[in-house]
Amino acid sequence: MRAVGQNDKKQAGRGCLALGRGAAALACCAVLAGCAGPDASRHPSSQAGPGAPRPASHHAGPDASRRDSGQGGPAQGLTPQARQAAEHARLVAAARRWRLAQVPLTPPPPPERKPEITARAGFEVKHQEDWDLPPVFTTIPTEQKIVFLTIDDGSEKDPEFLRMMQDLKIPYTAFLSNYLVKDDYGYFRTMQSYGHTLNNHTLHHPYLPGLSYEQQKTEICDMQDIMEKQFGRRPTVFRPPYGNYNQDTLRAARSCGIRYAPIWNEEVYVDHWEYREDDQKLHRGDIVLTHFRGRSDWNGTMVDDMRRFLDKVTREGYAVARLEDYL
């Protein structure tokens, strides 16, 4: 049998991209991804840290478990260019599978020097800097054309959402409220095992400025304890429910280890976007909010919501980066 050379692989890649939506396209891309080996299909931001729990197969589905098993053939002898071509072919197939208009753009590597994060002008509280309170901000300072996806609450636990985002290698940050996630911590452990960060969004999602300091501290700090018990770490990032806070909120958050309090500049729903700025546009470094919601709340699924989000940001030339890489 004739050995497969580099030109053969390039030709195969071109043929794969030229195929339609049928089984032949998926088979071709699968062959290329298999040649590239297990590492080629993984983005650095999708890797779990040491000791992270393995995915629960009843949430992630059989395809995800096969991906995580690393079964895909040896990668020996392939050049970086061949690996890159194989991964692109895999992403083309994934974008078709999830009915995206385009393949999502790949974010740049995380900065070696993290940007300085300060409170957004007009979002400070009294003694913000004197007491070193967590800054509230809506955008990360960056010259890169990137945005950050954040997802709140935890009501909907859609396994197809997990599969979609893992398949497409899209990073995101979850902000969890205990009263909504306590019925299925395992779903979020699966999410964590894929490399996504789980952060604090209080016990019961109250309007925090209406509570006393001690009540706010209970909502935030007790959630820290639950996060450590269920997910193995105490977050340093916290989002106040509804984006509402006062000085007591930030004092309470700081007392139990919170360093940052990001909110958002845009919010995406399954059928529309909402903007904080009057220009109604995305900007470099913007934080985008959505929610764990399904058909019981919206006219669509989380997959529909993510399709709307990804199609827009890709069309406008933005990649989705990992928020924690910039903090």
Side-chain angles (χ1 to χ4, degrees), residues 150-177:
T150 61
I151 312 178
D152 278 10
D153 299 351
S155 175
E156 180 74 6
K157 301 166 185 71
D158 183 354
E160 286 297 289
F161 163 78
L162 292 181
R163 294 179 63 184
M164 177 188 194
M165 302 302 268
Q166 179 71 353
D167 208 12
L168 294 166
K169 302 302 177 192
I170 304 299
Y172 57 92
T173 297
F175 290 88
L176 306 182
S177 292

Side-chain angles (χ1 to χ4, degrees), residues 229-248:
K229 178 180 179 181
Q230 296 296 332
F231 308 115
R233 61 179 294 274
R234 297 175 72 83
T236 59
V237 184
F238 157 73
R239 172 171 286 163
Y242 315 106
N244 295 127
Y245 61 95
N246 58 17
Q247 186 191 66
D248 282 348

Side-chain angles (χ1 to χ4, degrees), residues 97-262:
R97 187 157 48 248
W98 295 104
R99 295 188 290 117
L100 300 184
Q102 302 175 63
V103 177
L105 299 175
T106 301
E112 293 184 7
R113 183 175 181 179
K114 309 300 183 186
E116 181 180 1
I117 306 296
T118 58
R120 174 172 167 158
F123 288 61
E124 313 95 331
V125 297
K126 190 175 182 181
H127 298 299
Q128 175 78 54
E129 295 185 5
D130 296 342
W131 295 353
D132 192 27
L133 298 177
V136 175
F137 54 99
T138 62
T139 302
I140 297 287
T142 179
E143 295 301 316
Q144 303 283 356
K145 201 167 184 184
I146 55 175
V147 294
F148 303 94
L149 174 62
T150 61
I151 312 178
D152 278 10
D153 299 351
S155 175
E156 180 74 6
K157 301 166 185 71
D158 183 354
E160 286 297 289
F161 163 78
L162 292 181
R163 294 179 63 184
M164 177 188 194
M165 302 302 268
Q166 179 71 353
D167 208 12
L168 294 166
K169 302 302 177 192
I170 304 299
Y172 57 92
T173 297
F175 290 88
L176 306 182
S177 292
N178 190 57
Y179 83 108
L180 291 173
V181 304
K182 64 183 181 180
D183 63 332
D184 194 354
Y185 290 124
Y187 178 85
F188 299 96
R189 292 191 192 105
T190 299
M191 186 181 296
Q192 183 185 42
S193 76
Y194 289 155
H196 306 291
T197 304
L198 311 180
N199 286 320
N200 189 327
H201 200 42
T202 71
L203 293 174
H204 303 101
H205 204 276
Y207 174 72
L208 289 173
L211 303 181
S212 68
Y213 170 79
E214 290 299 330
Q215 290 171 323
Q216 293 197 54
K217 186 174 179 180
T218 296
E219 281 287 336
I220 300 167
C221 298
D222 284 13
M223 187 59 182
Q224 290 286 86
D225 296 339
I226 289 172
M227 297 291 288
E228 183 175 29
K229 178 180 179 181
Q230 296 296 332
F231 308 115
R233 61 179 294 274
R234 297 175 72 83
T236 59
V237 184
F238 157 73
R239 172 171 286 163
Y242 315 106
N244 295 127
Y245 61 95
N246 58 17
Q247 186 191 66
D248 282 348
T249 309
L250 302 184
R251 286 177 55 221
R254 184 181 183 278
S255 75
C256 49
I258 297 298
R259 297 179 55 199
Y260 302 99

